[in-house]
Amino acid sequence: MKKHNFTAGPCILAPEVFEGAAAAVREFEGMGLSLLEISHRDKKVVAVMEEAQQRVLKTLGLGDDYAVLFLQGGASSQFAMLPFNLLTSSGRAGYLNTGTWATKALEEANKLAPGQALELASSKDRNFSYIPKGFAIPSGLDYVHYTSNNTIYGTQMKAFTKTDSLMVCDMSSDIFSRQMDYSAFDLIYAGAQKNLGPAGATLVVVRKDILGKSGRYIPTMFDYPTHIKGESMYNTPPVFSLYVSLLTLRWMDAQGGLPEMERRANARAAALYGEIDRNPLFVGTAATEDRSPMNACFLLHDEAAHKDTFDALAKEAGLVGLAGHRSVGGYRASMYNALEQSSVDALVEVMREVERRA
Ligand SMILES: *Cc1c(COP(=O)(O)O)cnc(C)c1O
């Protein structure tokens, strides 16, 4: 029986996507070959790349002043690639520190350019359970770095302050889940494995005219223009991950695109947070106004009394991936685009049953 998959990442994808991926591994588009054994220069693979790039732009409502890249090295490599490309030798960048990943991004920039990456504000004082607001952003920064969704703590930024600096955002765990003005951002990056595909590809969407200005020596593979000139095939791209990402992009479009992804995300979030707030046994850990529809973190008030019951009932119902990150504890339900409402309903039913037995 298929489980209800609440894993934070790599995560659930749509059943149609798994079927398409499996078929392509057996034989790709009638070629008599598997997708895994053909050259990335084959015109069918080039067509996959081009369609994926076009669909990313279309889905985000962006034009061809942006380049779309599918790179390797994960979102974590972007923490270094960014300052190489965007932080000038005497410039400064501002980072909003909203969690573990944001902290790593900030630290990585300061390794390359000591003292040049500033922490604009931080919510570390309350274990990153909220998004700082009303903080000052100095003018003239090379860029401001945000993390739109904090996967570990279950917080999401609902608004982004636009400044005179470039705007960069790590959208690893909520890309393609909501409608926004994506053209407000100059560079967006996301590891594929949270809402787009399997691990192995990192999506980068970058406005082309901001590049080539940092004045730094940049290792070839860390230079965005290398990959733009090479049409994201300067070296062997992560072909399988790219293809599964394309299947997901097609699936999203067929479902109704971002408006529908957002509607589903809000419906899932309303059901789960509604139960967390109603059920006297549970408490949410994130500030209410900053709650993420993608990752919901919650605790049992009395773990000693109810944890065994909850865990046993969850297991019996086929719910997996609910353990909270070690830095928060408790539970975390990740509800990415492909998670069915019925999975959330199954979780809510388990929470109600724990209450009935208490
Ligand atoms: C998972 C995650 C990362 C790290 O991604 P990798 O691809 O494993 O390097 C970075 N930022 C956020 C917000 C994440 O959720």
Side-chain angles (χ1 to χ4, degrees):
M1 189 193 84
K2 176 77 178 162
K3 307 275 194 211
H4 299 288
N5 188 0
F6 293 92
T7 308
C11 74
I12 185 170
L13 296 170
E16 297 93 312
V17 169
F18 289 128
E19 274 161 35
V25 167
R26 284 191 292 272
E27 182 182 358
F28 188 53
E29 297 189 355
M31 292 176 77
L33 295 165
S34 164
L35 174 66
L36 304 184
E37 60 178 341
I38 56 177
S39 168
H40 56 290
R41 306 290 175 197
D42 188 285
K43 64 179 190 312
K44 283 185 186 287
V45 180
V46 173
V48 166
M49 177 65 88
E50 286 171 357
E51 185 185 338
Q53 290 171 322
Q54 285 310 315
R55 282 185 180 273
V56 168
L57 290 179
K58 187 170 160 258
T59 307
L60 299 179
L62 298 173
D64 59 11
D65 46 335
Y66 285 82
V68 177
L69 305 172
F70 287 87
L71 305 178
Q72 302 192 48
S76 300
S77 291
Q78 293 307 308
F79 299 163
M81 213 163 155
L82 268 177
F84 264 116
N85 283 267
L86 299 185
L87 187 52
T88 58
S89 61
S90 57
R92 292 177 312 157
Y95 282 70
L96 182 61
N97 191 357
T98 50
T100 302
W101 299 114
T103 304
K104 287 187 175 173
L106 170 65
E107 286 174 354
E108 193 70 19
N110 272 324
K111 275 188 194 163
L112 178 70
Q116 286 177 247
L118 317 173
E119 185 178 81
L120 296 173
S122 168
S123 48
K124 194 174 174 27
D125 59 338
R126 283 193 271 135
N127 199 28
F128 298 118
S129 60
Y130 67 102
I131 302 288
K133 290 165 204 89
F135 52 91
I137 303 180
S139 70
L141 297 173
D142 285 341
Y143 63 89
V144 172
H145 181 280
Y146 296 117
T147 309
S148 57
N149 187 76
N150 299 282
T151 326
I152 293 173
Y153 308 91
T155 62
Q156 185 188 53
M157 294 185 69
K158 311 296 178 188
F160 299 83
T161 312
K162 183 77 184 136
T163 67
D164 62 351
S165 312
L166 298 179
M167 210 151 111
V168 173
C169 195
D170 176 356
M171 295 195 187
S172 290
S173 53
D174 69 350
I175 191 144
F176 302 126
S177 70
R178 57 174 161 167
Q179 302 177 85
M180 266 202 296
D181 175 14
Y182 291 93
S183 71
F185 299 93
D186 299 285
L187 192 152
I188 295 166
Y189 64 97
Q193 71 276 13
K194 304 261 170 60
N195 216 6
L196 180 58
T202 312
L203 174 67
V204 175
V205 183
V206 57
R207 231 183 67 214
K208 288 179 265 190
D209 65 0
I210 68 171
L211 299 172
K213 296 175 183 168
S214 78
R216 291 181 186 277
Y217 156 75
I218 309 177
T220 307
M221 280 295 287
F222 268 33
D223 193 18
Y224 293 119
T226 298
H227 299 286
I228 294 173
K229 277 186 224 118
E231 291 172 342
S232 209
M233 293 211 182
Y234 168 77
N235 72 322
T236 317
V239 175
F240 180 69
S241 183
L242 165 70
Y243 182 65
V244 181
S245 297
L246 171 60
L247 294 178
T248 301
L249 287 158
R250 286 180 185 159
W251 171 82
M252 277 192 300
D253 200 29
Q255 303 298 304
L258 292 195
E260 178 63 11
M261 294 300 115
E262 179 176 305
R263 189 196 66 73
R264 293 182 191 180
N266 288 340
R268 289 187 300 257
L272 181 53
Y273 286 116
E275 178 62 15
I276 291 169
D277 291 341
R278 185 208 63 78
N279 193 317
L281 267 45
F282 295 91
V283 58
T285 58
T288 308
E289 74 274 16
D290 300 324
R291 282 173 167 176
S292 164
M294 296 283 103
N295 315 95
C297 298
F298 55 98
L299 308 171
L300 278 161
H301 279 295
D302 186 349
E303 282 212 353
H306 306 301
K307 186 173 172 11
D308 289 349
T309 311
F310 180 91
D311 291 353
L313 288 173
K315 190 168 181 214
E316 204 175 292
L319 312 182
V320 299
L322 284 171
H325 190 273
R326 61 188 176 282
S327 57
V328 181
Y331 299 99
R332 169 176 54 173
S334 295
M335 302 181 282
Y336 295 114
N337 281 354
L339 188 79
E340 296 278 355
Q341 182 71 37
S342 56
S343 291
V344 177
D345 296 343
L347 170 57
V348 166
E349 184 45 38
V350 164
M351 294 166 79
R352 289 188 181 151
E353 184 59 24
V354 179
E355 183 191 15
R356 282 193 285 270
R357 293 192 191 183

